[in-house]
Amino acid sequence: MARTCSNTMKFGSAAILIAMVMAIVVNSNVVAASRQYPGGRSLLQSHGALLIDYMGASGDTSLQFSDLQATVSAFPTLEFIFPLSFAIDADASGNTQNGVFSPYWSTSLDGASAQAFKQQNPNVKLMVSLAGFSQFVNGNTQNVNWYDPASTTDWVTNAVSSITSLVSTYNLDGVDVDYENFPSGSATFTTCIGQLISNLKSAGTISVASIAPFGSTSSIYADLFSNYGSSIDYVNYQFYADGLNTQSDYVNDFNTVSASFDPTKLLASVEVNGRGLQGNDFIAAAQQLSIAGVMIFDVDNSKSSNFALEQSVATFLTS
C-alpha cells in the first residue's frame, strides 16, 4: 500500500510538472509571437540605443549645436554621438603636417557652445573625426590622403598632442577615423592609427573610438581592427557607399561585413538624401538586423528638413 501510494504520488507529481513546463513553453511562444517588431523583426534581431551623426562635414557655416536641441531632448534615453568633421593632418594649403591635426569644421561650432550643449544634454557625446574624403583648398577640393610618415613614432607623438588639444578645446569624448584615400598604400596606417587610439585611451584623454570603412577600404580597416579592436568601440561602416539598392542587398552586405568586424560593434548607416537606401526602405532593412546602432551622414544636410531622418531613426532605435 505504501509503495503503491508512493508511486501514485510520483506519477502525479511528474504529470503536474510536465503540464507546468508545457504551459510555460506555450506562454513563452505566445509572448514571443506577440512581440514581433514592425517590418517582421523578431526577438532574434536587436539594436543598440545609439545614434552617431556626423556634424560639420558638408560645410554648413550657419550650423549650431542648438539646432539639434529639440531632437536630442525628444529622445532622452537615446545616446547621441556627434563626430565633428573633420580634423585634418594638413595646413590650409593642403600640406601635410606630420600628425598635427587642425579643425576644419565651421567656426560656429566652437568650444564654448560645445561645452554648453553637452552640459544641457547628458545623453550627448562629441568626437573629432579625422581626415574625411577631401579638403577645401583655395576654393577647390583636394583629396585627403593617408601617407606613410618618415617616423611613425614622431607622427603618433604629434597626433596625440594635437588631438589632446582639440579634446580640451571642444570638450570631446572620443576620436573617429575616416581616412578614405590610400594612393600610396597603407603600410604604416595600422601602426600609426592603432597606437594613436590606444595611447589616447590609456591616458584617459578619450573614452570612445570609432572607425568608418567602406568597400574599397574595408580590408585596410579590418587589419586595424584585428590588431587594435579592443580599443575600438564602434564600426561606422559606410554601407551607402557600397551601391546597395534593395533591402536584401543591404542585409546581405551587412552580414558579409560582420565577418571582418565584431558584429556587436557594427552600426547600420544611411546618407541624408544621398546614396543607397533611404527613408522607410533603410528602416525596414535595419529592422532585420542586429545592430549596435545607426550612423547618419550628416547633420548639415539634414538641417533643411528639420532633422526628419534623425527623428525617424531615433524613433526606431527607441522602439
Side-chain angles (χ1 to χ4, degrees):
M1 291 287 293
R3 180 176 296 175
T4 302
C5 179
S6 176
N7 287 339
T8 301
M9 291 177 64
K10 288 179 179 178
F11 292 143
S13 299
I16 293 172
L17 180 60
I18 291 171
M20 290 174 64
V21 171
M22 291 180 66
I24 291 171
V25 171
V26 170
N27 186 58
S28 297
N29 289 336
V30 170
V31 171
S34 68
R35 292 182 61 190
Q36 294 287 322
Y37 287 83
R41 181 168 59 86
S42 73
L43 293 177
L44 293 177
Q45 283 73 50
S46 62
H47 55 70
L50 169 66
L51 196 163
I52 297 180
D53 202 352
Y54 286 77
M55 190 172 190
S58 297
D60 184 345
T61 57
S62 68
L63 187 65
Q64 304 279 343
F65 288 108
S66 57
D67 294 334
L68 291 157
Q69 186 57 54
T71 300
V72 170
S73 296
F75 301 92
T77 62
L78 183 63
E79 180 180 9
F80 289 86
I81 299 180
F82 297 104
L84 299 182
S85 311
F86 293 95
I88 302 174
D89 173 13
D91 62 17
S93 298
N95 302 306
T96 58
Q97 297 296 295
N98 196 30
V100 178
F101 285 85
S102 301
Y104 286 94
W105 52 81
S106 172
T107 55
S108 63
L109 302 173
D110 59 79
S113 58
Q115 183 170 355
F117 186 54
K118 284 184 62 181
Q119 287 178 340
Q120 190 173 356
N121 302 286
N123 58 328
V124 164
K125 291 181 179 178
L126 299 178
M127 304 176 75
V128 54
S129 185
L130 306 183
F133 184 82
S134 60
Q135 175 186 6
F136 282 104
V137 177
N138 299 322
N140 299 308
T141 58
Q142 174 178 305
N143 283 359
V144 176
N145 299 324
W146 174 258
Y147 64 93
D148 291 324
S151 166
T152 58
T153 300
D154 289 348
W155 189 95
V156 171
T157 298
N158 292 338
V160 167
S161 177
S162 60
I163 291 171
T164 297
S165 178
L166 291 174
V167 168
S168 176
T169 300
Y170 293 92
N171 195 21
L172 305 177
D173 301 280
V175 169
D176 171 72
V177 181
D178 187 29
Y179 275 93
E180 302 190 9
N181 302 297
F182 297 85
S184 301
S186 58
T188 59
F189 180 75
T190 289
T191 298
C192 288
I193 297 299
Q195 289 185 7
L196 170 63
I197 293 172
S198 59
N199 288 354
L200 289 169
K201 275 203 162 184
S202 62
T205 305
I206 63 171
S207 61
V208 60
S210 61
I211 55 176
F214 60 95
S216 63
T217 66
S218 184
S219 62
I220 295 171
Y221 281 91
D223 183 68
L224 171 65
F225 193 85
S226 68
N227 286 279
Y228 292 93
S230 61
S231 296
I232 297 170
D233 300 281
Y234 302 115
V235 179
N236 303 328
Y237 191 92
Q238 301 177 56
F239 289 99
Y240 47 79
D242 280 3
L244 310 173
N245 298 314
T246 68
Q247 293 177 33
S248 60
D249 286 343
Y250 197 105
V251 171
N252 290 336
D253 195 36
F254 186 96
N255 291 332
T256 298
V257 171
S258 295
S260 298
F261 303 96
D262 182 348
T264 66
K265 298 181 178 183
L266 183 61
L267 283 75
S269 62
V270 58
E271 186 175 52
V272 177
N273 298 325
R275 299 162 290 177
L277 293 185
Q278 297 288 307
N280 292 334
D281 279 340
F282 167 72
I283 296 294
Q287 287 173 334
Q288 301 172 52
L289 299 166
S290 293
I291 56 178
V294 170
M295 179 269 275
I296 296 177
F297 189 88
D298 62 342
V299 169
D300 305 42
N301 284 314
S302 195
K303 182 181 175 181
S304 62
S305 66
N306 199 27
F307 309 109
L309 180 58
E310 280 81 358
Q311 294 177 44
S312 177
V313 169
T315 299
F316 157 61
L317 290 173
T318 55
S319 64

